[in-house]
Amino acid sequence: MKKIINDPKRVVDESVAGFAAAHADLVRVEYDPIFVVRADAPVAGKVGLVSGGGSGHEPLHAGYVGYGMLDAAVPGAVFTSPTPDPILAATKAVDGGAGVLHIVKNYTGDVLNFETAADLAAAEGIEVRAVVTNDDVAVKDSLYTAGRRGVAGTVLVEKIAGAAAQRGDSLDEVAAVAERVNANARSMGLALTPCIVPHAGEPSFTLAEDEIEIGIGIHGEPGRERIKLEPADRLVDRLLDPILDDLPFGSGDRVLLFVNGMGGTPQLELYLAYRRAAEALGERGIEIARSLVGNYITALEMQGMSITLLKLDDEMIQLWDAPVQTAALRWGR
Amino acid sequence: MKKIINDPKRVVDESVAGFAAAHADLVRVEYDPIFVVRADAPVAGKVGLVSGGGSGHEPLHAGYVGYGMLDAAVPGAVFTSPTPDPILAATKAVDGGAGVLHIVKNYTGDVLNFETAADLAAAEGIEVRAVVTNDDVAVKDSLYTAGRRGVAGTVLVEKIAGAAAQRGDSLDEVAAVAERVNANARSMGLALTPCIVPHAGEPSFTLAEDEIEIGIGIHGEPGRERIKLEPADRLVDRLLDPILDDLPFGSGDRVLLFVNGMGGTPQLELYLAYRRAAEALGERGIEIARSLVGNYITALEMQGMSITLLKLDDEMIQLWDAPVQTAALRWGR
Amino acid sequence: MGLDITWAVDWVRRSAETVAEHRTRLIALDREIGDGDHGENLDRGFQAVLPKLDDLAAGSTPGDVLKLVATTLISTVGGAAGPLYGTAYLKGAMAAGSATSLDGPAIAAVLTAARDGIVARGKAESGDKTMVDAWTPAVEAADAEAASGADARTVLEAAASAAEAGAEATEPLVARKGRASYLGERSAGHRDPGAESSALLLRAAADAAVAAAGD
Amino acid sequence: MGLDITWAVDWVRRSAETVAEHRTRLIALDREIGDGDHGENLDRGFQAVLPKLDDLAAGSTPGDVLKLVATTLISTVGGAAGPLYGTAYLKGAMAAGSATSLDGPAIAAVLTAARDGIVARGKAESGDKTMVDAWTPAVEAADAEAASGADARTVLEAAASAAEAGAEATEPLVARKGRASYLGERSAGHRDPGAESSALLLRAAADAAVAAAGD
Ligand SMILES: Nc1ncnc2c1ncn2[C@@H]1O[C@H](COP(=O)(O)OP(=O)(O)O)[C@@H](O)[C@H]1O
Ligand SMILES: Nc1ncnc2c1ncn2[C@@H]1O[C@H](COP(=O)(O)OP(=O)(O)O)[C@@H](O)[C@H]1O
Ligand SMILES: [Mg+2]
Ligand SMILES: [Mg+2]
Ligand SMILES: [Mg+2]
Ligand SMILES: [Mg+2]
């Protein structure tokens, strides 16, 4: 295992400390229990947005704390949901009197720990709502399973709901727009290489030089299918087709096209993939109204990418375009 | 070789096409010869800034084309300087009547090709000045060698000179501030893994599971020294010490601390490294006035990082803080 | 002869020991069909419980020990296993009440409450390839022994053996809950890490009971 | 007997062929002490020259062919080798002038001008571990042969052999110019890719002269 780390047990603490030092203008960090919070929190009268989950997906979530997006991020150990204590502490720290929205990726651990924290916060008189993101079409959904994973769509939910909160929407309104974004977002990912969790020290799976995993999540877990490496355009189609069929997306739709890197794939390749995705959408008469390309939700050093489509409406576009000032997403101020 | 590409010969063209499609609000692309230019170029009366070099360092340089930074970027083949033709074409495309500054990283190929283009542009009546960046302390400098490489300091030169041009400085003034940034910037890098040039298909060097290269550049070339992997804090010190000694930097200096990822290293590790770098500067009484952490100048999927220190003065801080709107660096608008 | 506070404390110590010993194996199981953190998470949790055992007030009951484990796991483990085991120990503690000694039926009741807590929280059914597949046979075996008048040690022996068999029986299953469910058919052929750790914890309880009997 | 346009065109074709054939080896050499693109760059350049040969006007001279190679390499190769080889062919073309046939001394003059162009552009000295270390011995050998009255074919044979020896002799050197200089002492023990490609190109020139003599 080759990593720029000291003690594997201190990876998250030390990295968060570096993040806080580099972005002292945007955030501060509480250490016991650990969470990252907007420098000016709580913002009086504003709905507070809290997200969190296992570490290793950077810039998610701490990179999205700031004006117009999250009020706090709660980092767990690598790929491990945080416990209720820091979620509760973060919830209290961002409560400006208008209630708090939890944005939770759909994993059993995240859901259960956020649930407990929400119960505890409610017991202390804070109004909490939760939105559970589940945009991953690689997972077959059913009443009898854990359901779909929350993946890259979560970034879009955080930006758009964050803008709604920033303009003064109520908790119900912010939760509603977050739900709407999640309901209109679909993602799918692939991996060329596995990643190595620091405390595990070994890759999550092994792949031959010509093999890739299709339908992966963001935790270094194997995907649904192992196939031979194919040209980029074909790989893009393999991700895009199930996404398009699922919502479904069709001619005349306006979308946000989001090509996300898993952490170890260079931008050169992400933009090359974007080219084909844009072409394929064009062929179907789907209009790309907004784009996002880069490493926005990752699985440590994994090489691979995911594609997300979000079907936009006017309000979503307006909220997407609204100013945001975070370490990882910034425009308009 | 595992990459999200189609034909290795078309990697740069297809990626640039994707970049142009994703950022049509910021840039347009000319294809024959290929270069990326600000959507509103030429800006009348403004000094035009052109940079370029081999591809594979993304977001450098196309990611820095836009308001307040570069006017054009000229991408060569992967790790290969572009030829004079596209440099000349880009120079003509951004000439707003106030002259054009070439920002050239110090590599024989880049210097020679930009030189030829500048001669040709001068012959067409365009005033061209060149600033050659050479911030890499890993390379021993001497009159008899090719000199130091231009590496991460180039990003800082482009931002600060770009802001000077944007506020209306003359060609001489913009060149002077670019030279001043270069003269006050020092960098050094290390690699945990090599990278693979698409047309080569094989790694540039091989490293054992416990070995790293110290003093690498950004072209997948081996460094000056191969050592055993060490804890992150020790690695940071290994990069920082020669940087500090070289300028030298000392107590009371205000600096910009830039921890750059080589492409395949996750943010988690970069911020962890930043923590130690900030601590080490603090121990020496050096004030970190500004920071930058992320993948800003890369070597494809290489795992590793570089550290850059820039000694700041008031004007540099003001120009650093000035609004910038590019694909990869954006604030203030 | 019932099991008292000494047993409960010993169970926790043995739990921490067996989890540490099998940490790497649990990580490896979780890497195959999950995200490779189960052994690390549980190890962190039980290591956090150990120092707190020294602070237990005089006159503490087995129920107090279980509650201490519950709250510590909840606040240190995270992931799916943290809340699920936390709930299990919490409900077990409630079933144990303030009794100073637990006989066969009481132990069976504790295990039943723990299992019910896991099911209530995680909504998994038998056969979903989760820790429930270790707990449910364990509870059934414990109930049967308790009904036939067995002592606490025998009840725990039966539960541990049934949990071990249950964990092994998860191997051919296709997961329907937890991370392994994302793999679909590819989850078959691997043992569920949570079922395995459940078996380890119940074996630790039985071993502690044997040691207590030997006192 | 002098070398005419047929020889010049044949040289270019043989150059393209030998560069394509040794593309992978040149890449490998450049990977060891550079950035692994030399074979790719040169191959791209010479492949771009080939179709242009068909468009040469009737009555073109060897100098016209060299100029065509120069401008094409400059606008397609990039990197260090593009401008350096471009300058070499450009200066060579100027030395060839409008002669329709090049004898021994004329060939030696072309090679000298080419080498001088590389040195003027790249500022490398002998022993810096660059293509100059192939060109300088080649020029010296060519001059010596030309001075002793040898014909063009013999001059080129001598130049090619000297370039090959010069390329081989770069192996122990520590680089002071080009990318290999960044490696410091670690550049020793590897052959310079540009010196190697220079030897290939000069061997192609000699082979073309042999073929022309056989006409
Ligand atoms: N819904 C559920 N009900 C019961 N047990 C579950 C459920 N989801 C997951 N588990 C158990 O949790 C174990 C995984 O725990 P762990 O690896 O610590 O958490 P995570 O999956 O969050 O990484 C699985 O092996 C399984 O036994
Ligand atoms: N200053 C120089 N003078 C002469 N030859 C040089 C000089 N710098 C580099 N070279 C030659 O160029 C070769 C490398 O060419 P190439 O790989 O195509 O360019 P780059 O180094 O830009 O990748 C080296 O092997 C060396 O022979
Ligand atoms: Mg986990
Ligand atoms: Mg090159
Ligand atoms: Mg797990
Ligand atoms: Mg090269």
PDB file of all heavy atoms in Angstrom, chain A residues 14-42:
ATOM      1  N   GLU A  14      -5.949  13.854  10.568  1.00  0.00           N
ATOM      2  CA  GLU A  14      -4.878  14.707  10.040  1.00  0.00           C
ATOM      3  C   GLU A  14      -5.284  15.403   8.752  1.00  0.00           C
ATOM      4  O   GLU A  14      -4.902  16.537   8.496  1.00  0.00           O
ATOM      5  CB  GLU A  14      -3.601  13.879   9.822  1.00  0.00           C
ATOM      6  CG  GLU A  14      -2.989  13.411  11.144  1.00  0.00           C
ATOM      7  CD  GLU A  14      -1.673  12.668  10.961  1.00  0.00           C
ATOM      8  OE1 GLU A  14      -1.338  12.318   9.812  1.00  0.00           O
ATOM      9  OE2 GLU A  14      -0.991  12.423  11.964  1.00  0.00           O
ATOM     10  N   SER A  15      -6.048  14.698   7.934  1.00  0.00           N
ATOM     11  CA  SER A  15      -6.475  15.305   6.684  1.00  0.00           C
ATOM     12  C   SER A  15      -7.482  16.428   6.943  1.00  0.00           C
ATOM     13  O   SER A  15      -7.401  17.494   6.332  1.00  0.00           O
ATOM     14  CB  SER A  15      -7.078  14.229   5.772  1.00  0.00           C
ATOM     15  OG  SER A  15      -7.416  14.792   4.536  1.00  0.00           O
ATOM     16  N   VAL A  16      -8.395  16.192   7.845  1.00  0.00           N
ATOM     17  CA  VAL A  16      -9.374  17.225   8.180  1.00  0.00           C
ATOM     18  C   VAL A  16      -8.673  18.433   8.798  1.00  0.00           C
ATOM     19  O   VAL A  16      -9.022  19.579   8.514  1.00  0.00           O
ATOM     20  CB  VAL A  16     -10.479  16.664   9.107  1.00  0.00           C
ATOM     21  CG1 VAL A  16     -11.358  17.781   9.640  1.00  0.00           C
ATOM     22  CG2 VAL A  16     -11.326  15.640   8.357  1.00  0.00           C
ATOM     23  N   ALA A  17      -7.644  18.177   9.587  1.00  0.00           N
ATOM     24  CA  ALA A  17      -6.885  19.291  10.169  1.00  0.00           C
ATOM     25  C   ALA A  17      -6.229  20.117   9.062  1.00  0.00           C
ATOM     26  O   ALA A  17      -6.235  21.358   9.106  1.00  0.00           O
ATOM     27  CB  ALA A  17      -5.825  18.765  11.133  1.00  0.00           C
ATOM     28  N   GLY A  18      -5.679  19.443   8.055  1.00  0.00           N
ATOM     29  CA  GLY A  18      -5.086  20.153   6.919  1.00  0.00           C
ATOM     30  C   GLY A  18      -6.142  20.933   6.163  1.00  0.00           C
ATOM     31  O   GLY A  18      -5.928  22.096   5.781  1.00  0.00           O
ATOM     32  N   PHE A  19      -7.286  20.323   5.966  1.00  0.00           N
ATOM     33  CA  PHE A  19      -8.387  20.995   5.265  1.00  0.00           C
ATOM     34  C   PHE A  19      -8.789  22.271   6.005  1.00  0.00           C
ATOM     35  O   PHE A  19      -8.962  23.333   5.398  1.00  0.00           O
ATOM     36  CB  PHE A  19      -9.581  20.041   5.142  1.00  0.00           C
ATOM     37  CG  PHE A  19     -10.736  20.620   4.393  1.00  0.00           C
ATOM     38  CD1 PHE A  19     -10.775  20.554   3.008  1.00  0.00           C
ATOM     39  CD2 PHE A  19     -11.775  21.261   5.050  1.00  0.00           C
ATOM     40  CE1 PHE A  19     -11.840  21.109   2.299  1.00  0.00           C
ATOM     41  CE2 PHE A  19     -12.833  21.819   4.353  1.00  0.00           C
ATOM     42  CZ  PHE A  19     -12.857  21.736   2.973  1.00  0.00           C
ATOM     43  N   ALA A  20      -8.915  22.150   7.301  1.00  0.00           N
ATOM     44  CA  ALA A  20      -9.326  23.307   8.107  1.00  0.00           C
ATOM     45  C   ALA A  20      -8.282  24.418   8.022  1.00  0.00           C
ATOM     46  O   ALA A  20      -8.625  25.596   7.896  1.00  0.00           O
ATOM     47  CB  ALA A  20      -9.522  22.882   9.560  1.00  0.00           C
ATOM     48  N   ALA A  21      -7.012  24.036   8.053  1.00  0.00           N
ATOM     49  CA  ALA A  21      -5.953  25.045   7.991  1.00  0.00           C
ATOM     50  C   ALA A  21      -5.939  25.732   6.629  1.00  0.00           C
ATOM     51  O   ALA A  21      -5.755  26.943   6.532  1.00  0.00           O
ATOM     52  CB  ALA A  21      -4.596  24.394   8.261  1.00  0.00           C
ATOM     53  N   ALA A  22      -6.162  24.957   5.570  1.00  0.00           N
ATOM     54  CA  ALA A  22      -6.120  25.523   4.215  1.00  0.00           C
ATOM     55  C   ALA A  22      -7.338  26.383   3.917  1.00  0.00           C
ATOM     56  O   ALA A  22      -7.285  27.253   3.048  1.00  0.00           O
ATOM     57  CB  ALA A  22      -5.992  24.401   3.183  1.00  0.00           C
ATOM     58  N   HIS A  23      -8.433  26.143   4.608  1.00  0.00           N
ATOM     59  CA  HIS A  23      -9.684  26.844   4.286  1.00  0.00           C
ATOM     60  C   HIS A  23     -10.282  27.540   5.509  1.00  0.00           C
ATOM     61  O   HIS A  23     -11.498  27.518   5.719  1.00  0.00           O
ATOM     62  CB  HIS A  23     -10.695  25.876   3.674  1.00  0.00           C
ATOM     63  CG  HIS A  23     -10.190  25.216   2.434  1.00  0.00           C
ATOM     64  ND1 HIS A  23      -9.977  25.898   1.266  1.00  0.00           N
ATOM     65  CD2 HIS A  23      -9.805  23.943   2.196  1.00  0.00           C
ATOM     66  CE1 HIS A  23      -9.494  25.077   0.347  1.00  0.00           C
ATOM     67  NE2 HIS A  23      -9.374  23.878   0.888  1.00  0.00           N
ATOM     68  N   ALA A  24      -9.410  28.150   6.283  1.00  0.00           N
ATOM     69  CA  ALA A  24      -9.864  28.797   7.515  1.00  0.00           C
ATOM     70  C   ALA A  24     -10.836  29.941   7.229  1.00  0.00           C
ATOM     71  O   ALA A  24     -11.617  30.329   8.094  1.00  0.00           O
ATOM     72  CB  ALA A  24      -8.669  29.300   8.321  1.00  0.00           C
ATOM     73  N   ASP A  25     -10.804  30.462   6.006  1.00  0.00           N
ATOM     74  CA  ASP A  25     -11.736  31.533   5.656  1.00  0.00           C
ATOM     75  C   ASP A  25     -13.161  31.001   5.471  1.00  0.00           C
ATOM     76  O   ASP A  25     -14.128  31.735   5.582  1.00  0.00           O
ATOM     77  CB  ASP A  25     -11.278  32.240   4.375  1.00  0.00           C
ATOM     78  CG  ASP A  25     -11.012  31.260   3.240  1.00  0.00           C
ATOM     79  OD1 ASP A  25     -10.608  30.101   3.521  1.00  0.00           O
ATOM     80  OD2 ASP A  25     -11.215  31.628   2.066  1.00  0.00           O
ATOM     81  N   LEU A  26     -13.281  29.684   5.177  1.00  0.00           N
ATOM     82  CA  LEU A  26     -14.590  29.105   4.882  1.00  0.00           C
ATOM     83  C   LEU A  26     -15.157  28.289   6.030  1.00  0.00           C
ATOM     84  O   LEU A  26     -16.366  28.267   6.245  1.00  0.00           O
ATOM     85  CB  LEU A  26     -14.483  28.154   3.672  1.00  0.00           C
ATOM     86  CG  LEU A  26     -14.078  28.738   2.325  1.00  0.00           C
ATOM     87  CD1 LEU A  26     -13.879  27.616   1.322  1.00  0.00           C
ATOM     88  CD2 LEU A  26     -15.163  29.697   1.837  1.00  0.00           C
ATOM     89  N   VAL A  27     -14.306  27.553   6.704  1.00  0.00           N
ATOM     90  CA  VAL A  27     -14.797  26.580   7.690  1.00  0.00           C
ATOM     91  C   VAL A  27     -13.997  26.618   8.986  1.00  0.00           C
ATOM     92  O   VAL A  27     -12.890  27.133   9.036  1.00  0.00           O
ATOM     93  CB  VAL A  27     -14.679  25.129   7.135  1.00  0.00           C
ATOM     94  CG1 VAL A  27     -15.426  24.977   5.832  1.00  0.00           C
ATOM     95  CG2 VAL A  27     -13.220  24.710   6.972  1.00  0.00           C
ATOM     96  N   ARG A  28     -14.609  26.032  10.032  1.00  0.00           N
ATOM     97  CA  ARG A  28     -13.802  25.642  11.182  1.00  0.00           C
ATOM     98  C   ARG A  28     -14.098  24.188  11.483  1.00  0.00           C
ATOM     99  O   ARG A  28     -15.083  23.626  11.002  1.00  0.00           O
ATOM    100  CB  ARG A  28     -14.055  26.567  12.380  1.00  0.00           C
ATOM    101  CG  ARG A  28     -15.471  26.616  12.836  1.00  0.00           C
ATOM    102  CD  ARG A  28     -15.692  27.746  13.883  1.00  0.00           C
ATOM    103  NE  ARG A  28     -17.120  28.040  13.936  1.00  0.00           N
ATOM    104  CZ  ARG A  28     -17.994  27.318  14.636  1.00  0.00           C
ATOM    105  NH1 ARG A  28     -17.602  26.297  15.356  1.00  0.00           N
ATOM    106  NH2 ARG A  28     -19.286  27.619  14.620  1.00  0.00           N
ATOM    107  N   VAL A  29     -13.263  23.578  12.285  1.00  0.00           N
ATOM    108  CA  VAL A  29     -13.428  22.157  12.583  1.00  0.00           C
ATOM    109  C   VAL A  29     -13.549  21.983  14.075  1.00  0.00           C
ATOM    110  O   VAL A  29     -12.836  22.623  14.852  1.00  0.00           O
ATOM    111  CB  VAL A  29     -12.209  21.348  12.079  1.00  0.00           C
ATOM    112  CG1 VAL A  29     -12.344  19.879  12.458  1.00  0.00           C
ATOM    113  CG2 VAL A  29     -12.087  21.479  10.580  1.00  0.00           C
ATOM    114  N   GLU A  30     -14.482  21.158  14.482  1.00  0.00           N
ATOM    115  CA  GLU A  30     -14.558  20.722  15.870  1.00  0.00           C
ATOM    116  C   GLU A  30     -13.984  19.316  15.904  1.00  0.00           C
ATOM    117  O   GLU A  30     -14.185  18.542  14.972  1.00  0.00           O
ATOM    118  CB  GLU A  30     -16.015  20.709  16.355  1.00  0.00           C
ATOM    119  CG  GLU A  30     -16.708  22.052  16.265  1.00  0.00           C
ATOM    120  CD  GLU A  30     -16.190  23.038  17.306  1.00  0.00           C
ATOM    121  OE1 GLU A  30     -15.625  22.574  18.326  1.00  0.00           O
ATOM    122  OE2 GLU A  30     -16.314  24.262  17.098  1.00  0.00           O
ATOM    123  N   TYR A  31     -13.259  19.005  16.970  1.00  0.00           N
ATOM    124  CA  TYR A  31     -12.557  17.720  16.969  1.00  0.00           C
ATOM    125  C   TYR A  31     -13.143  16.648  17.872  1.00  0.00           C
ATOM    126  O   TYR A  31     -12.851  15.481  17.699  1.00  0.00           O
ATOM    127  CB  TYR A  31     -11.083  17.928  17.333  1.00  0.00           C
ATOM    128  CG  TYR A  31     -10.322  18.512  16.171  1.00  0.00           C
ATOM    129  CD1 TYR A  31     -10.051  19.861  16.093  1.00  0.00           C
ATOM    130  CD2 TYR A  31      -9.924  17.692  15.112  1.00  0.00           C
ATOM    131  CE1 TYR A  31      -9.380  20.389  15.007  1.00  0.00           C
ATOM    132  CE2 TYR A  31      -9.256  18.218  14.025  1.00  0.00           C
ATOM    133  CZ  TYR A  31      -8.981  19.570  13.980  1.00  0.00           C
ATOM    134  OH  TYR A  31      -8.334  20.083  12.905  1.00  0.00           O
ATOM    135  N   ASP A  32     -13.947  16.997  18.851  1.00  0.00           N
ATOM    136  CA  ASP A  32     -14.376  15.958  19.779  1.00  0.00           C
ATOM    137  C   ASP A  32     -15.846  16.119  20.087  1.00  0.00           C
ATOM    138  O   ASP A  32     -16.189  16.789  21.052  1.00  0.00           O
ATOM    139  CB  ASP A  32     -13.529  16.021  21.049  1.00  0.00           C
ATOM    140  CG  ASP A  32     -13.722  14.758  21.880  1.00  0.00           C
ATOM    141  OD1 ASP A  32     -14.167  13.752  21.318  1.00  0.00           O
ATOM    142  OD2 ASP A  32     -13.420  14.807  23.096  1.00  0.00           O
ATOM    143  N   PRO A  33     -16.743  15.569  19.296  1.00  0.00           N
ATOM    144  CA  PRO A  33     -16.489  14.720  18.137  1.00  0.00           C
ATOM    145  C   PRO A  33     -16.203  15.552  16.891  1.00  0.00           C
ATOM    146  O   PRO A  33     -16.536  16.731  16.838  1.00  0.00           O
ATOM    147  CB  PRO A  33     -17.805  13.962  17.997  1.00  0.00           C
ATOM    148  CG  PRO A  33     -18.834  14.918  18.507  1.00  0.00           C
ATOM    149  CD  PRO A  33     -18.167  15.710  19.589  1.00  0.00           C
ATOM    150  N   ILE A  34     -15.642  14.915  15.884  1.00  0.00           N
ATOM    151  CA  ILE A  34     -15.122  15.638  14.742  1.00  0.00           C
ATOM    152  C   ILE A  34     -16.195  15.995  13.707  1.00  0.00           C
ATOM    153  O   ILE A  34     -16.980  15.145  13.279  1.00  0.00           O
ATOM    154  CB  ILE A  34     -13.968  14.846  14.078  1.00  0.00           C
ATOM    155  CG1 ILE A  34     -13.203  15.710  13.070  1.00  0.00           C
ATOM    156  CG2 ILE A  34     -14.482  13.580  13.423  1.00  0.00           C
ATOM    157  CD1 ILE A  34     -11.884  15.075  12.622  1.00  0.00           C
ATOM    158  N   PHE A  35     -16.267  17.258  13.354  1.00  0.00           N
ATOM    159  CA  PHE A  35     -17.076  17.678  12.203  1.00  0.00           C
ATOM    160  C   PHE A  35     -16.574  19.012  11.673  1.00  0.00           C
ATOM    161  O   PHE A  35     -15.859  19.734  12.376  1.00  0.00           O
ATOM    162  CB  PHE A  35     -18.576  17.728  12.530  1.00  0.00           C
ATOM    163  CG  PHE A  35     -18.965  18.734  13.579  1.00  0.00           C
ATOM    164  CD1 PHE A  35     -19.371  20.007  13.229  1.00  0.00           C
ATOM    165  CD2 PHE A  35     -18.928  18.393  14.925  1.00  0.00           C
ATOM    166  CE1 PHE A  35     -19.732  20.937  14.200  1.00  0.00           C
ATOM    167  CE2 PHE A  35     -19.286  19.319  15.911  1.00  0.00           C
ATOM    168  CZ  PHE A  35     -19.694  20.594  15.550  1.00  0.00           C
ATOM    169  N   VAL A  36     -16.923  19.314  10.415  1.00  0.00           N
ATOM    170  CA  VAL A  36     -16.489  20.541   9.737  1.00  0.00           C
ATOM    171  C   VAL A  36     -17.715  21.423   9.569  1.00  0.00           C
ATOM    172  O   VAL A  36     -18.764  20.944   9.124  1.00  0.00           O
ATOM    173  CB  VAL A  36     -15.899  20.206   8.352  1.00  0.00           C
ATOM    174  CG1 VAL A  36     -15.514  21.477   7.606  1.00  0.00           C
ATOM    175  CG2 VAL A  36     -14.703  19.271   8.489  1.00  0.00           C
ATOM    176  N   VAL A  37     -17.582  22.689   9.915  1.00  0.00           N
ATOM    177  CA  VAL A  37     -18.766  23.552   9.920  1.00  0.00           C
ATOM    178  C   VAL A  37     -18.430  24.908   9.305  1.00  0.00           C
ATOM    179  O   VAL A  37     -17.281  25.359   9.354  1.00  0.00           O
ATOM    180  CB  VAL A  37     -19.303  23.680  11.379  1.00  0.00           C
ATOM    181  CG1 VAL A  37     -18.260  24.337  12.275  1.00  0.00           C
ATOM    182  CG2 VAL A  37     -20.619  24.400  11.436  1.00  0.00           C
ATOM    183  N   ARG A  38     -19.406  25.519   8.669  1.00  0.00           N
ATOM    184  CA  ARG A  38     -19.228  26.854   8.095  1.00  0.00           C
ATOM    185  C   ARG A  38     -18.677  27.797   9.137  1.00  0.00           C
ATOM    186  O   ARG A  38     -19.130  27.807  10.285  1.00  0.00           O
ATOM    187  CB  ARG A  38     -20.587  27.397   7.644  1.00  0.00           C
ATOM    188  CG  ARG A  38     -20.748  27.482   6.154  1.00  0.00           C
ATOM    189  CD  ARG A  38     -22.146  27.886   5.774  1.00  0.00           C
ATOM    190  NE  ARG A  38     -22.322  29.340   5.716  1.00  0.00           N
ATOM    191  CZ  ARG A  38     -23.301  29.933   5.053  1.00  0.00           C
ATOM    192  NH1 ARG A  38     -24.177  29.191   4.379  1.00  0.00           N
ATOM    193  NH2 ARG A  38     -23.423  31.229   5.046  1.00  0.00           N
ATOM    194  N   ALA A  39     -17.733  28.626   8.731  1.00  0.00           N
ATOM    195  CA  ALA A  39     -17.090  29.531   9.675  1.00  0.00           C
ATOM    196  C   ALA A  39     -18.110  30.412  10.388  1.00  0.00           C
ATOM    197  O   ALA A  39     -17.930  30.761  11.551  1.00  0.00           O
ATOM    198  CB  ALA A  39     -16.055  30.385   8.947  1.00  0.00           C
ATOM    199  N   ASP A  40     -19.214  30.732   9.691  1.00  0.00           N
ATOM    200  CA  ASP A  40     -20.185  31.656  10.274  1.00  0.00           C
ATOM    201  C   ASP A  40     -21.433  30.954  10.819  1.00  0.00           C
ATOM    202  O   ASP A  40     -22.461  31.584  11.016  1.00  0.00           O
ATOM    203  CB  ASP A  40     -20.575  32.716   9.238  1.00  0.00           C
ATOM    204  CG  ASP A  40     -21.155  32.080   7.977  1.00  0.00           C
ATOM    205  OD1 ASP A  40     -21.112  30.831   7.849  1.00  0.00           O
ATOM    206  OD2 ASP A  40     -21.658  32.834   7.124  1.00  0.00           O
ATOM    207  N   ALA A  41     -21.324  29.649  11.068  1.00  0.00           N
ATOM    208  CA  ALA A  41     -22.492  28.913  11.566  1.00  0.00           C
ATOM    209  C   ALA A  41     -22.711  29.206  13.050  1.00  0.00           C
ATOM    210  O   ALA A  41     -21.758  29.453  13.765  1.00  0.00           O
ATOM    211  CB  ALA A  41     -22.270  27.411  11.377  1.00  0.00           C
ATOM    212  N   PRO A  42     -23.958  29.148  13.521  1.00  0.00           N
ATOM    213  CA  PRO A  42     -25.184  28.967  12.732  1.00  0.00           C
ATOM    214  C   PRO A  42     -25.624  30.269  12.084  1.00  0.00           C
ATOM    215  O   PRO A  42     -25.415  31.341  12.646  1.00  0.00           O
ATOM    216  CB  PRO A  42     -26.196  28.534  13.800  1.00  0.00           C
ATOM    217  CG  PRO A  42     -25.730  29.209  15.056  1.00  0.00           C
ATOM    218  CD  PRO A  42     -24.231  29.270  14.959  1.00  0.00           C
TER     219      PRO A  42
END
